[in-house]
Amino acid sequence: MNIIQVNDYEEMSQEAAKVMLNTVQEKSHPVLGLATGSTPERLYELLTKAHQEDQVPFGHVQTFNLDEYIGLSKDDEQSYHYFMNEKLMGNIDIPNNQVHIPNGLVTDLEAECVAYEKKIQQAGNIDLQLLGLGMNGHIGFNEPGTSFDARTHIVQLDASTREANARFFENEADVPTQAITMGIGTILEAKQILLIVHGEKKADILRRVVSGEVTEDIPATALQRHDNVTIITDIDL
Ligand code: GLP
């Protein structure tokens, strides 16, 4: 694992933007895997800035988001569709049909998972997968106990994850109980992985991810098995 230690959230976001822009500018058909949560918010602002102020084009990029809640419409302010549109897609020149986010509203959710995997394969797999880290070590919505071989699937969210994400909702009861997420097997097939982690509260879990035992109890430890992982963090390891 290549670990880049930075001083603060701003520097983490700047360094991560450099890595992402490198892929966007070097590849003729870059495929980016994207994440939600508060960690990448500044990074998405910087990508927006690169497009709007420095004219970096995104018209040749395809994106696949890690996950989406089940049961929220695309217009729901808490959906990851809405988040991505607000923070990035609505601000750059990427065509809508090149933006992929699991659809948590379809009746046949199993078929949606299979179709999502197929789309990733048809795109030639993900060149660069951005990840945040959940407090319980989750990546995407792969909660502790998920098989490292799992592909895109439906998950029951942990009580601790619903509690952590309740800050975005009016009441904790409004946080969906299920989500669709790329599996760890899907994530590990990305050619490069970029994990960004901010803040002392994630210090213990990040240390276990980097140097602890590889175990399905801490999903992100699977990253130790990938040969091209970059971690950018302001945590002292
Ligand atoms: C959420 C998302 C993850 C994200 C994580 C951390 O539940 N599903 O993809 O990385 O939690 O979120 P944050 O960056 O807000 O700490």
Side-chain angles (χ1 to χ4, degrees):
M1 287 178 167
N2 170 28
I3 298 171
I4 303 177
Q5 265 183 296
V6 294
N7 292 311
D8 53 26
Y9 179 70
E10 178 63 22
E11 212 185 315
M12 178 196 77
S13 308
Q14 299 272 357
E15 288 302 315
K18 277 188 216 162
V19 176
M20 298 206 71
L21 288 170
N22 194 33
T23 299
V24 167
Q25 292 179 298
E26 274 197 351
K27 303 243 174 207
S28 51
H29 295 99
V31 183
L32 300 179
L34 298 179
T36 49
S38 44
T39 312
E41 286 194 42
R42 177 65 180 149
L43 163 61
Y44 291 150
E45 268 177 23
L46 293 168
L47 296 181
T48 295
K49 194 162 162 261
H51 175 68
Q52 295 182 347
E53 292 177 18
D54 305 327
Q55 284 76 49
V56 174
F58 286 80
H60 61 312
V61 175
Q62 276 202 77
T63 64
F64 287 90
N65 262 76
L66 282 167
D67 46 17
E68 176 60 288
Y69 290 114
I70 288 176
L72 297 189
S73 85
K74 294 179 184 179
D75 304 329
D76 189 310
E77 289 183 22
Q78 309 310 336
S79 75
Y80 288 166
H81 274 84
Y82 189 93
F83 175 98
M84 289 311 298
N85 196 44
E86 284 288 299
K87 307 286 176 194
L88 186 63
M89 305 313 179
N91 314 329
I92 58 176
D93 61 340
I94 185 166
N96 279 341
N97 62 357
Q98 288 167 215
V99 174
H100 308 282
I101 303 176
N103 185 347
L105 269 191
V106 290
T107 36
D108 192 344
L109 292 162
E110 295 289 349
E112 172 67 11
C113 294
V114 172
Y116 201 66
E117 283 286 322
K118 203 166 165 199
K119 274 189 257 176
I120 294 173
Q121 273 158 25
Q122 280 166 348
N125 265 331
I126 291 166
D127 290 306
L128 176 62
Q129 176 67 58
L130 175 69
L131 296 176
L133 182 64
M135 287 296 290
N136 60 2
H138 74 217
I139 44 177
F141 267 136
N142 290 283
E143 300 284 30
T146 311
S147 160
F148 285 171
D149 297 327
R151 316 300 309 190
T152 299
H153 63 290
I154 298 157
V155 289
Q156 302 293 328
L157 298 175
D158 270 13
S160 68
T161 297
R162 295 185 65 236
E163 203 179 299
N165 288 1
R167 65 190 192 277
F168 300 111
F169 293 78
E170 236 165 72
N171 305 299
E172 196 175 322
D174 297 337
V175 185
T177 54
Q178 290 184 309
I180 296 184
T181 184
M182 273 188 210
I184 293 178
T186 322
I187 293 170
L188 291 179
E189 270 173 19
K191 292 161 206 164
Q192 185 182 0
I193 293 176
L194 175 61
L195 174 68
I196 54 174
V197 189
H198 158 67
E200 263 317 292
K201 66 177 193 301
K202 290 188 183 167
D204 284 346
I205 190 71
L206 182 60
R207 287 187 193 114
R208 293 174 78 175
V209 168
V210 170
S211 47
E213 180 204 346
V214 176
T215 164
E216 289 178 351
D217 293 340
I218 303 176
T221 59
L223 300 178
Q224 292 185 29
R225 297 197 175 153
H226 192 283
D227 62 6
N228 193 357
V229 176
T230 300
I231 300 177
I232 307 180
T233 184
D234 57 1
I235 296 167
D236 248 329
L237 287 170

